[in-house]
């Protein structure tokens, strides 16, 4: 999985003295066709063999960019969950919404007794 | 050789807010399907979640109540999986940095004075949204989806694998159930799913590393929890004894058969691919906010137990019983406020004795008691000042329970139950009894202690139970020269 490999990659880059800049990726990270199939399954996306190859190239390209980012020395820099340093705005605990079920269900493929109907799912 | 059972619990407590965690829809229970699901809840394109302040307050209250660290900055994450009752395709939760970290809960395992104390460590508690409901009744071969519950605020409370028996797991779950209601963050209604537990169970030989665990999902009663864990433990021991390794799995408990059965194995377990939700910025909680919430917290059960023991001389067991729920503690505190601290022990005895017995019989909660705390306190005061004996007090209690009067005083007056304390009157009665029961008197003089009891009984009967038994006993002994 991407996150797992990325983490492993970070651990490996950390072995190098800080400040070393790399012109080429240290470790050519690449996703196998099996990785792509797994990601496609988890995302519920069906890929033809050709699409699978195209997607693999594209994702590997993105990982290449990430490798460049990870090569930057971030020692002493606090990790951020978001790109902007702003905190979450909160709303008061007040019910502001009215029932708009009819509007929403007018565009739903199938409804009955106020329920949305979907292909049968039993776990 | 012994087996050691290792249990960790994950509990979902539905938070007592008015609106959803990320939208302004109502979370009231029992509404028509999908009338409480707005554009955010049904995941229409372009909508943005906005965090409910009150849900955060609930998390802070909980963190304070269990002595945890309240994260000054926590992060919401997307937990990705596909299911029709999760319209976004992900659940907003917290992953790497939860809002509540560490802490723990003291529990009592077992009953009476043989009960033992144990501290269960918490790993974390995090805020998240609930999913909708799938109805699998037959809709022409389709499933029905109700999204009213989607977006309901939950606090998921996770323990360390600290429990060593189903009894400990249930004791912890009960203590947690009482605590979340005590601090007013969850109504604890298990039938409606406001408080539901998952149990991670494994077995091992003492001293060995942890065994492979199986997770029992959605335990919605304490009885089922006990049954499910006991069954699961025995099943795992049998498997290992017969040479089969335990495979990590999620299982369901079937109350009809009393068995657990595998729902999915680890091979097809979900890979949730958590990542920080770009729609929600980090949640910041400053020390001033925490202090403000703390000032509004009620006295916690543990502190109250210590106070009851110190101020009213209650045993640890009694103190634990009286703080088992907020309603119980409120009742006790209100009764002692009227009866006086000197009667603290008597009030405890009456609540745990007579009142508890009557409540249990009627399957009632103390909050619904027909006898108010002030009424019970009034009754106990009349025992304390010798207006009535303990036996008569039980009659008055019955009368109060049946609504025969507004107060103990009124019933004592109306039914003429006042204790006879006039020594002259009792003496006359005692003389009559002695004269009428010469046989018992002779037997007593011949050394039969039983005969004395018969005489006390006769004297009490003659006063219709209104004489002070101690006074009668003393007088009889005096008269008989014993």
């Amino acid at each position: 999985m991407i996150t797992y490999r990325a983490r492993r990659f970070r651990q490996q880059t950390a072995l190098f003295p800080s400040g070393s800049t790399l012109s080429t990726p240290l470790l050519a990270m690449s996703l196998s066709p099996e990785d792509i199939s797994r990601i496609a399954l988890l995302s519920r996306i069906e890929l033809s063999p050709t699409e699978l190859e195209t997607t693999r190239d594209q994702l590997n390209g993105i990982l290449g960019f990430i490798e460049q980012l990870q090569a930057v020395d971030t020692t002493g820099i606090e990790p951020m969950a978001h790109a902007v340093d702003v905190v979450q705005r909160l709303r008061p605990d007040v019910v502001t919404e009215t029932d708009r079920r009819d509007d929403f269900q007018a565009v739903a493929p199938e409804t009955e007794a106020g329920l949305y109907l979907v292909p049968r799912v039993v776990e | 050789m012994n087996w050691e059972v290792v249990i960790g619990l994950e509990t979902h407590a539905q938070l007592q807010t008015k609106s959803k965690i990320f939208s302004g829809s109502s979370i009231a229970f029992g509404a028509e399907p999908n009338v409480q699901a707005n554009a955010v809840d049904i995941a229409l394109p372009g909508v943005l979640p906005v965090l409910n302040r009150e849900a955060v307050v609930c998390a802070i209250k909980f963190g304070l109540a269990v002595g945890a660290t309240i994260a000054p900055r926590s992060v919401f994450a997307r937990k990705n999986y596909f299911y029709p009752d999760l319209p976004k395709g992900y659940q907003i939760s917290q992953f790497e940095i939860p809002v509540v970290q560490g802490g723990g809960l003291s529990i009592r395992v077992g009953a009476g004075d043989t009960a033992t104390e144990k501290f269960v460590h918490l790993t974390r508690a995090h805020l998240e949204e609930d999913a909708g409901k799938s109805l699998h009744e037959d809709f022409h071969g389709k499933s029905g989806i109700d999204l009213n519950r989607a977006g309901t605020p939950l606090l998921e409370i996770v323990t360390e694998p600290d429990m060593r028996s189903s009894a400990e797991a249930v004791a912890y779950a009960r203590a947690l159930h009482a605590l979340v209601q005590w601090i007013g963050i969850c109504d604890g209604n298990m039938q409606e799913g406001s408080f539901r537990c998952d149990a991670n169970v494994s077995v091992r030989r003492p001293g060995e590393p942890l065994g492979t665990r199986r997770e029992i999902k959605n335990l919605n009663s304490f009885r089922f929890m006990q049954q499910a864990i006991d069954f699961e433990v025995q099943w795992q021991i049998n498997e290992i004894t017969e040479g089969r390794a335990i495979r990590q799995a999620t299982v369901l408990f079937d109350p009809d058969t009393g068995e657990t059965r595998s729902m999915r194995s680890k091979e097809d377990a979900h890979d949730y691919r958590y990542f920080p939700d770009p729609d929600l910025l980090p949640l910041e909680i400053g020390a001033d906010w925490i202090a403000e919430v703390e000032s509004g917290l009620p006295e916690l059960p543990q502190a109250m137990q210590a106070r009851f023991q110190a101020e009213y001389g209650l045993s640890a067991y009694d103190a634990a019983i009286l703080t088992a729920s907020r309603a119980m503690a409120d009742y006790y505190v209100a009764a002692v406020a009227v009866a006086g601290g000197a009667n603290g022990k008597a009030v405890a005895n009456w609540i745990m004795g007579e009142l508890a017995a009557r409540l249990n019989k009627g399957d009632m909660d103390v909050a619904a008691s027909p006898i108010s705390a002030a009424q019970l306190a009034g009754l106990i005061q009349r025992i304390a000042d010798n207006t009535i004996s303990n036996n008569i007090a039980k009659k008055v209690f019955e009368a109060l329970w049946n609504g025969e009067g507004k107060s103990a005083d009124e019933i004592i007056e109306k039914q003429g139950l006042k204790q006879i304390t006039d020594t002259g009157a009792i003496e006359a009665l005692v003389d009559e009894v002695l004269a009428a029961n010469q046989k018992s008197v002779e037997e007593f003089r011949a050394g039969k202690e039983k005969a004395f009891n018969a005489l006390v009984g006769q004297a009490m009967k003659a006063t219709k139970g209104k004489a002070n038994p101690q006074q009668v006993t003393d007088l009889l002994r005096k008269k008989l020269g014993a």
Side-chain angles (χ1 to χ4, degrees):
Chain A
M1 263 92 329
I2 292 175
T3 46
Y4 173 66
R5 294 198 173 200
R7 195 175 307 137
R8 196 167 56 185
F9 178 79
R10 188 159 59 218
Q11 280 161 359
Q12 283 171 345
T13 55
L15 295 174
F16 287 80
S18 62
S20 77
T21 49
L22 305 160
S23 53
T24 52
L26 164 78
L27 182 89
M29 267 182 68
S30 70
L31 294 163
S32 69
E34 291 72 37
D35 288 333
I36 302 295
S37 296
R38 170 88 178 142
I39 294 165
L41 175 73
L42 288 169
S43 313
R44 300 296 187 276
I45 296 170
E46 190 178 5
L47 296 177
S48 68
T50 327
E51 286 169 330
L52 195 143
E53 271 313 306
T54 319
T55 309
R56 188 160 90 100
D57 289 345
Q58 289 170 344
L59 281 179
N60 280 334
I62 292 168
L63 288 181
F65 292 131
I66 292 172
E67 281 173 13
Q68 288 182 33
L69 288 173
Q70 286 185 319
V72 176
D73 178 18
T74 56
T75 313
I77 298 173
E78 202 189 330
M80 290 171 76
H82 294 80
V84 281
D85 194 12
V86 183
V87 298
Q88 178 60 36
R89 190 172 68 83
L90 302 169
R91 44 165 261 278
D93 181 27
V94 180
V95 175
T96 52
E97 297 297 312
T98 50
D99 172 21
R100 295 188 57 200
R101 184 176 75 180
D102 290 346
D103 295 340
F104 296 143
Q105 297 203 333
V107 294
E110 201 176 349
T111 60
E112 187 176 314
L115 299 164
Y116 294 93
L117 294 193
V118 298
R120 194 170 178 79
V121 275
V122 178
E123 208 162 356
Chain B
M1 243 203 307
N2 287 334
W3 289 94
E4 186 176 51
V5 178
V6 178
I7 305 164
L9 287 185
E10 292 171 18
T11 307
H12 287 91
Q14 183 181 315
L15 300 175
Q16 265 179 311
T17 56
K18 296 182 189 70
S19 64
K20 293 192 176 176
I21 185 165
F22 298 120
S23 88
S25 298
S26 169
I27 63 162
F29 184 79
E32 282 275 298
N34 291 308
V35 299
Q36 291 175 174
N38 78 348
V40 173
D41 311 322
I42 68 172
L44 290 190
V47 297
L48 273 180
V50 188
L51 184 57
N52 183 341
R53 186 175 196 274
E54 191 55 30
V56 181
V57 169
C58 290
I60 298 173
K61 280 183 183 171
F62 180 77
L64 288 168
V66 296
T69 302
I70 317 272
R73 178 177 269 246
S74 61
V75 175
F76 285 92
R78 292 185 179 181
K79 177 180 180 177
N80 300 279
Y81 66 93
F82 286 95
Y83 207 72
D85 59 22
L86 188 76
K88 289 194 298 296
Y90 58 86
Q91 177 194 27
I92 304 176
S93 182
Q94 296 192 300
F95 187 55
E96 282 174 313
I97 313 176
V99 62
V100 173
Q101 302 169 4
L105 216 58
S106 240
I107 60 167
R108 287 178 69 81
V109 189
D113 295 323
T114 57
T116 50
E117 285 226 11
K118 184 178 174 110
F119 190 77
V120 176
H121 295 84
L122 297 183
T123 312
R124 58 188 279 156
H126 62 256
L127 286 165
E128 63 181 30
E129 59 177 343
D130 208 344
K133 270 184 186 156
S134 303
L135 301 155
H136 301 301
E137 290 103 67
D138 198 20
F139 293 101
H140 339 287
K142 302 207 165 179
S143 291
I145 305 294
D146 176 7
L147 298 173
N148 280 349
R149 200 180 62 181
T152 296
L154 301 176
L155 189 66
E156 180 174 339
I157 302 152
V158 184
T159 75
E160 293 288 305
D162 276 359
M163 288 149 283
R164 292 290 173 270
S165 67
S166 60
E168 286 185 9
V170 170
Y172 161 78
R174 283 188 184 280
L176 181 67
H177 186 243
L179 182 67
V180 293
Q181 292 175 80
W182 189 285
I183 58 176
I185 64 168
C186 172
D187 68 13
N189 190 324
M190 296 176 85
Q191 277 84 43
E192 291 176 8
S194 299
F195 186 91
R196 41 192 204 262
C197 299
D198 305 334
N200 284 295
V201 181
S202 64
V203 298
R204 66 173 168 188
R205 298 293 191 189
E208 288 191 354
L210 288 174
T212 305
R213 68 190 156 86
R214 302 214 308 166
E215 181 179 16
I216 315 171
K217 284 293 224 191
N218 275 333
L219 295 164
N220 61 359
S221 93
F222 299 123
R223 193 164 55 91
F224 291 164
M225 178 183 288
Q226 178 114 34
Q227 287 175 358
I229 293 172
D230 287 343
F231 179 87
E232 178 63 23
V233 165
Q234 201 49 56
W235 183 87
Q236 290 189 13
I237 291 172
N238 288 349
E239 287 291 295
I240 297 170
T241 310
E242 286 170 22
R244 288 188 291 272
I246 303 295
R247 287 166 57 211
Q248 194 171 333
T250 303
V251 304
L252 283 178
F253 175 66
D254 182 346
D256 294 328
T257 61
E259 296 181 359
T260 51
R261 62 184 165 81
S262 186
M263 192 163 94
R264 54 174 181 253
S265 67
K266 204 200 167 194
E267 283 81 277
D268 37 70
H270 294 130
D271 180 344
Y272 293 122
R273 296 151 294 142
Y274 284 96
F275 65 91
D277 190 334
D279 286 346
L280 288 154
L281 293 159
L283 167 63
E284 225 166 58
I285 301 173
D288 48 345
W289 192 9
I290 296 174
E292 182 198 318
V293 173
E294 190 164 26
S295 67
L297 266 189
E299 185 181 8
L300 296 170
Q302 283 239 287
M304 214 176 236
Q305 282 170 25
R307 185 162 67 81
F308 289 172
Q309 286 176 254
E311 287 182 17
Y312 311 128
L314 303 190
S315 70
Y317 175 66
D318 291 357
I321 296 275
L322 291 169
T323 53
S325 74
R326 182 86 179 271
M328 182 62 105
D330 285 349
Y331 191 96
Y332 178 70
V333 168
V336 171
V338 176
N343 289 320
K345 177 75 180 145
V347 172
N349 289 343
W350 273 87
I351 291 178
M352 293 186 300
E354 222 66 20
L355 185 70
R358 285 307 301 252
L359 291 171
N360 282 343
K361 219 163 114 186
D363 198 21
M364 294 162 82
D365 188 77
V366 69
S369 167
I371 301 181
S372 72
Q375 286 174 322
L376 184 72
L379 172 65
I380 290 161
Q381 282 176 311
R382 295 294 83 84
I383 306 168
D385 65 13
N386 277 323
T387 306
I388 51 172
S389 68
N390 246 314
N391 268 334
I392 293 290
K394 284 179 188 170
K395 271 194 189 174
V396 178
F397 180 90
E398 275 306 306
L400 277 172
W401 183 276
N402 296 323
E404 290 167 33
K406 283 192 189 67
S407 67
D409 285 339
E410 187 191 319
I411 289 162
I412 293 165
E413 185 62 38
K414 226 163 51 182
Q415 305 191 5
L417 297 172
K418 197 163 191 260
Q419 189 158 254
I420 304 165
T421 44
D422 174 4
T423 318
I426 297 177
E427 209 167 343
L429 270 168
V430 164
D431 286 338
E432 276 173 40
V433 167
L434 287 176
N437 294 279
Q438 274 304 314
K439 200 171 157 237
S440 296
V441 172
E442 276 158 33
E443 280 175 6
F444 173 71
R445 292 204 201 281
K448 264 190 160 175
E449 191 61 25
K450 254 191 186 161
F452 184 77
N453 293 337
L455 287 167
V456 174
Q458 287 297 327
M460 290 306 293
K461 202 174 153 192
T463 65
K464 298 192 180 72
K466 288 188 285 182
N468 181 328
Q470 192 54 51
Q471 217 174 348
V472 170
T473 308
D474 291 348
L475 264 173
L476 269 172
R477 288 219 180 264
K478 204 171 105 191
K479 297 261 176 197
L480 292 169

